[in-house]
């Protein structure tokens, strides 16, 4: 039995798979508990799980948490949507037209190595400390990577599908809309899922400087006032929100691309 | 007897496809590759021609040039007397690899070209039904390609090409990836579709049996750089069932073609 579970590439029962994930979580919790309840680490640095839970409930009921979530979520969403709205068409064009790749790949490949956080001072100079500055950080953090990934997805569309569509009478524009786009769509959705996750990580960076609201701001304030429990709540919430959006994208993927599965479900 | 009838047999009917001095040189990093030496041949209306040749002799290159997917370095291709320029729906193509659109079901795949052309839903339904029946896949119209076996996929690919009503059907080793049994069945399915549709077909294969069984004429290509070596008309009576593969007549053709191919394969090693 045990040997079976440790054979490369071998399927295992779903229950075992799920249990393995739960056990890892539990082990993590046990580790945390031993350190905190056991008094091994000063509670000023690592609060106990119960304290963190109490703080979370408190923040939830006094409304602070929800309003911060709302603000942060809006920032992430708008910054990311703008990145996707430009990055998807641009990436598709770069992946299918050599001239577009030649024109944009070098500059995007260059900019993407410039850390988005380093642009913050410049952004503040240009557009001030408002919402658009926060959203711009998210945009800068995701746009370039997203565009390059969409380009790769598009390049991987089987060339023969394009060729066969020409022999069936497709015009150039139809090749884009009827072949390249549907063929690349699963990869595009998956790219969005991954890059949306990154957008969350840029959130804190965006809210550390010159913000007066949001989860990142909440975390920074908590650090200033020595409230590790509040920091941990903030981190956990961002993680949960990331996980939630990831699950939403996965659900969209499953619902939209049943043609990729033999059973059709 | 077979040899007497080979070269320059009188052409019956009008030439559907004319290949005139078509040659192809590929430019690569390591220099130039002559994939195809200047080659000329014609195919008559309604004729089933198979091209047989050793690996790498330029069979796919010829077909891709006819399809308009590759540009010839020299010469030209005429379809119904008109010079072809780029790919178009008048030349249907079936590839060796599976090229059904995976996000479309069988019916939508078959009618893909018709839909591009703005053919009405009603008419598309009729065409789809007709070809589903022809290839023996009734009841599979709502299946997706991932749910089909290799042989079924290639049947749909043939139906998709035929549904577009092309002037000529180009097939590049369409059964090359199938097992021997499926392959034999597919050959019969194709012959039936050909007899029914009266299409002109240019079919490429490695397989000597397949080339004889299907063809009105087998064109043997020489090893690289490829060119047409010999045209062998096959006068086995039609309609042909799989049992013709056991006849003396068939064996005679096979022997002739095998020795031609052997000479060439030896050169290409
Ligand atoms: N795009 C290309 N660039 C460079 N060389 C090529 C290209 N396509 C084909 N060739 C070369 O041209 C020659 C003929 O290729 P082709 O694919 O037409 O052969 P083939 O007869 O179809 O072979 P096979 O039986 O293996 O399918 C080969 O030597 C091949 O390497
Ligand atoms: Mg080939």
């Amino acid at each position: 039995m045990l040997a079976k579970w440790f054979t490369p590439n071998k399927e295992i029962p779903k229950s075992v798979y799920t249990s393995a994930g739960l056990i890892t979580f539990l082990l993590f919790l046990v580790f945390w508990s031993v350190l905190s309840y056991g008094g091994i680490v000063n509670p000023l640095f690592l609060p106990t799980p119960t304290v963190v839970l109490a703080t979370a409930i408190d923040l939830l009921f006094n409304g602070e948490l929800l309003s911060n979530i709302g603000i942060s979520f809006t920032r992430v969403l708008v910054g990311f949507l703008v990145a996707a709205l430009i990055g998807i068409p641009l990436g598709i064009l770069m992946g299918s037209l050599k001239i577009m790749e030649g024109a944009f790949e070098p500059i995007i490949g260059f900019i993407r190595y410039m850390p988005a956080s380093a642009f913050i001072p410049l952004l503040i100079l240009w557009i001030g400390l408002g919402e658009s500055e926060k959203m711009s950080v998210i945009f800068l953090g995701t746009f370039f990577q997203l565009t390059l990934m969409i380009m790769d997805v598009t390049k991987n569309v089987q060339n023969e599908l394009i060729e066969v569509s020409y022999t069936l009478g497709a015009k150039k524009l139809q090749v884009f809309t009827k072949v390249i786009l549907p063929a690349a769509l699963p990869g595009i959705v998956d790219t969005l899922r991954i890059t949306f996750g990154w957008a969350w990580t840029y959130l804190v960076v965006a809210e550390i400087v010159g913000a007066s609201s949001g989860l990142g701001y909440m975390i920074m304030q908590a650090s200033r006032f020595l409230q590790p429990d509040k920091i941990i709540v903030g981190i956990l919430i961002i993680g949960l929100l990331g996980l939630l959006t990831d699950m939403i994208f996965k659900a969209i993927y499953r619902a939209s691309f049943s043609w990729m599965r033999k059973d059709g479900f | 007897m077979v040899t007497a009838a080979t070269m320059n047999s009188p052409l019956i009917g009008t030439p559907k496809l004319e290949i005139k001095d078509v040659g192809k040189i590929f430019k690569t990093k390591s220099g130039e590759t002559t994939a195809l030496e200047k080659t000329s041949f014609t195919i008559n209306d309604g004729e089933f021609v198979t091209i047989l040749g050793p690996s790498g002799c330029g069979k796919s290159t010829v077909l891709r040039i006819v399809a308009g997917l590759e540009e010839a370095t020299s010469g030209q291709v005429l379809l119904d007397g008109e010079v072809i320029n780029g790919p178009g729906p008048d030349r249907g193509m079936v590839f060796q690899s599976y090229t059904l659109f995976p996000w479309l079901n069988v019916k939508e795949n078959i009618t893909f070209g018709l839909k591009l052309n703005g053919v009405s839903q009603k008419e598309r339904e009729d065409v789809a039904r007709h070809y589903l029946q022809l290839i023996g896949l009734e009841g599979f119209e709502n299946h997706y390609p991932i749910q089909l076996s290799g042989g079924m996929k290639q049947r749909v690919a043939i139906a998709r090409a035929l549904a577009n009503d092309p002037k000529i059907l180009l097939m590049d080793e369409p059964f090359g990836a199938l097992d021997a049994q499926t392959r034999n069945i597919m050959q019969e399915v194709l012959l039936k579709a050909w007899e029914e549709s009266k299409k002109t077909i240019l079919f490429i294969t490695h397989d000597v049996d397949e080339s004889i069984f299907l063809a009105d004429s087998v064109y043997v290509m020489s090893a690289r750089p490829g060119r047409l070596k010999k045209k062998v008309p096959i006068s086995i009576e039609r309609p042909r069932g799989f049992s013709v593969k056991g006849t003396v007549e068939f064996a005679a053709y096979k022997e002739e073609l095998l020795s031609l191919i052997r000479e060439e394969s030896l050169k290409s090693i």
Side-chain angles (χ1 to χ4, degrees), chain A residues 158-171 174 178-180 182-184 258-264, chain B residues 64 67 69 87-93 95 97-103 112-113 116-117 144 146-147 160-161 164:
Chain A
Q158 197 190 342
N159 189 40
E160 276 152 349
L161 290 186
I162 295 170
E163 292 188 334
V164 87
S165 75
Y166 276 124
T167 71
L168 291 167
K171 304 276 175 292
Q174 289 173 320
K178 308 282 184 201
V179 184
I180 294 177
S258 59
W259 52 262
M260 296 181 91
R261 289 186 297 278
K262 281 210 162 117
D263 58 16
Chain B
R64 290 175 59 81
L69 297 170
D90 50 355
R91 283 149 290 144
M93 180 103 178
F95 292 84
S97 58
Y98 304 127
T99 57
L100 295 184
F101 302 113
W103 59 91
F112 182 86
L116 289 179
N117 254 322
Y144 283 91
I146 197 170
Q147 301 169 312
R160 176 177 65 180
N164 229 18

Side-chain angles (χ1 to χ4, degrees), chain A residues 9-190:
Chain A
N9 264 358
K10 195 104 187 151
E11 286 297 325
I12 56 168
K14 188 125 182 70
S15 56
V16 177
Y17 185 88
T18 322
S19 311
L22 280 177
I23 288 171
T24 314
F25 259 104
L26 278 177
L27 282 177
F28 176 76
L29 212 58
V30 166
F31 182 62
W32 179 10
S33 300
V34 168
L35 288 183
S36 55
Y37 294 119
I40 300 172
V41 179
N42 185 339
L44 208 55
F45 299 122
L46 187 69
T48 60
T50 25
V51 170
V52 170
L53 192 67
T55 309
I57 292 170
D58 196 38
L59 286 171
L60 189 66
F61 283 108
N62 71 18
E64 194 183 334
L65 197 56
L66 287 183
S67 84
N68 280 330
I69 288 177
I71 288 164
S72 291
F73 197 80
T74 311
R75 287 172 180 159
V76 170
L77 197 65
V78 174
F80 178 76
L81 274 184
V82 176
L85 247 40
I86 306 173
I88 294 173
L90 182 61
I92 291 177
L93 288 177
M94 285 168 66
S96 45
L97 301 173
K98 282 281 169 226
I99 176 97
M100 292 295 279
E101 185 185 347
F104 289 101
E105 207 272 337
I107 189 161
I108 292 181
F110 178 44
I111 298 177
R112 80 166 154 146
Y113 286 112
M114 307 179 185
S117 45
F119 278 94
I120 294 179
L122 206 53
L123 287 172
I124 293 175
L125 275 182
W126 288 346
I127 52 180
L129 283 169
E131 288 304 297
S132 44
E133 180 257 329
K134 312 283 176 297
M135 293 164 181
S136 300
V137 176
I138 309 276
F139 174 85
L140 287 178
T142 50
F143 172 73
F144 302 100
Q145 211 73 25
L146 184 148
T147 306
L148 291 182
M149 283 167 78
I150 301 275
M151 177 184 85
D152 273 339
V153 163
T154 311
K155 273 189 176 177
N156 282 335
V157 171
Q158 197 190 342
N159 189 40
E160 276 152 349
L161 290 186
I162 295 170
E163 292 188 334
V164 87
S165 75
Y166 276 124
T167 71
L168 291 167
K171 304 276 175 292
K172 274 185 195 169
L173 188 66
Q174 289 173 320
V175 170
F176 277 104
T177 58
K178 308 282 184 201
V179 184
I180 294 177
L181 187 63
L185 208 52
I188 291 174
V189 172
D190 217 34

Side-chain angles (χ1 to χ4, degrees), chain B residues 59-60 96 172-173 204:
Chain B
K59 304 184 292 296
S60 297
Q96 173 174 2
D172 191 355
E173 304 196 42
I204 282 169

Side-chain angles (χ1 to χ4, degrees), chain B residues 197-258:
Chain B
S197 65
K198 305 263 182 297
K199 288 286 172 227
T200 310
I201 297 183
L202 181 55
F203 184 109
I204 282 169
T205 182
H206 269 125
D207 184 317
V208 175
D209 282 24
E210 184 168 86
S211 73
I212 302 167
F213 181 68
L214 295 172
D216 292 320
S217 304
V218 179
Y219 291 16
V220 181
M221 282 183 71
S222 67
R224 205 165 67 95
R227 89 201 124 67
L228 198 64
K229 182 183 163 99
K230 195 160 197 179
K231 176 180 176 181
V232 182
I234 308 292
S235 50
I236 299 172
E237 213 175 309
R238 293 193 191 263
R240 297 174 190 163
F242 74 94
S243 56
V244 302
K245 288 184 184 172
T247 61
V248 183
E249 200 183 4
F250 194 93
Y253 283 122
K254 188 168 174 176
E255 199 183 304
E256 177 185 3
L257 287 169
L258 274 176

